[in-house]
Amino acid sequence: MPELADASEFAIATLYTFFKSKEDLYMALLMDIAQEHYRKLMDVLMNKNVKPAARIENYILSRIRIFNEEISVYRIYFAETHGASINLRAGLNNDIRLLYSFPLLILSRLA
C-alpha cells in the first residue's frame, strides 16, 4: 500500500479510510473500468438510428477498441487473476459480471 499511496499522492491512512486492502482497491478500480466499458458498449447497442447488423458490427469494433485502449488493465487482470486463462470472468465479482453479461443479452436480441 505504501507504493500506491506514493503514486496516488495520498497518505496511507487516507487510502485505508476508503479501502481495507489492496484487493479492495483493485476491485474498486475494476468496477470503475467495467462501468465505463458498459456505458460505451450500451451507447453502441442502444443506438436506434443504426440497423441491428450495423449495431452488432459496431459492438464488436467497440470491444476491440476498448481492449486496445485498456491493454494495461487487461495485463494486470490476467497477471493477478487465478484461472483467468481458463475462464475470463473467474476473478470478477457479481456486479462486474452483470455489466459484462447484460450487453450480450441485448446483442442476442438484435439478431
Side-chain angles (χ1 to χ4, degrees):
M1 210 60 142
E3 298 88 14
L4 293 172
D6 287 342
S8 65
E9 299 180 0
F10 286 104
I12 294 173
T14 303
L15 285 179
Y16 277 114
T17 300
F18 297 104
F19 308 101
K20 295 178 186 176
S21 65
K22 283 190 268 188
E23 290 77 21
D24 286 348
L25 174 60
Y26 172 73
M27 289 309 294
L29 289 171
L30 273 183
M31 182 54 127
D32 188 55
I33 292 166
Q35 287 172 336
E36 180 60 28
H37 292 180
Y38 175 82
R39 282 189 291 274
K40 289 177 181 178
L41 294 172
M42 290 304 293
D43 286 346
V44 170
L45 287 176
M46 301 309 289
N47 186 349
K48 302 292 185 188
N49 297 323
V50 178
K51 293 180 181 179
R55 279 194 261 171
I56 293 169
E57 181 179 347
N58 292 342
Y59 175 84
I60 293 167
L61 293 173
S62 293
R63 296 257 338 177
I64 292 168
R65 188 173 23 263
I66 287 168
F67 181 82
N68 287 330
E69 290 171 357
E70 302 285 353
I71 193 75
S72 61
V73 173
Y74 289 101
R75 284 187 180 134
I76 292 169
Y77 172 76
F78 287 118
E80 296 295 322
T81 306
H82 303 293
S85 60
I86 298 168
N87 180 357
L88 296 179
R89 293 182 281 169
L92 303 178
N93 68 23
N94 287 336
D95 293 334
I96 295 174
R97 286 181 186 176
L98 285 173
L99 292 177
Y100 174 82
S101 299
F102 189 68
L104 297 178
L105 176 65
I106 292 174
L107 195 60
S108 71
R109 293 180 178 171
L110 289 177

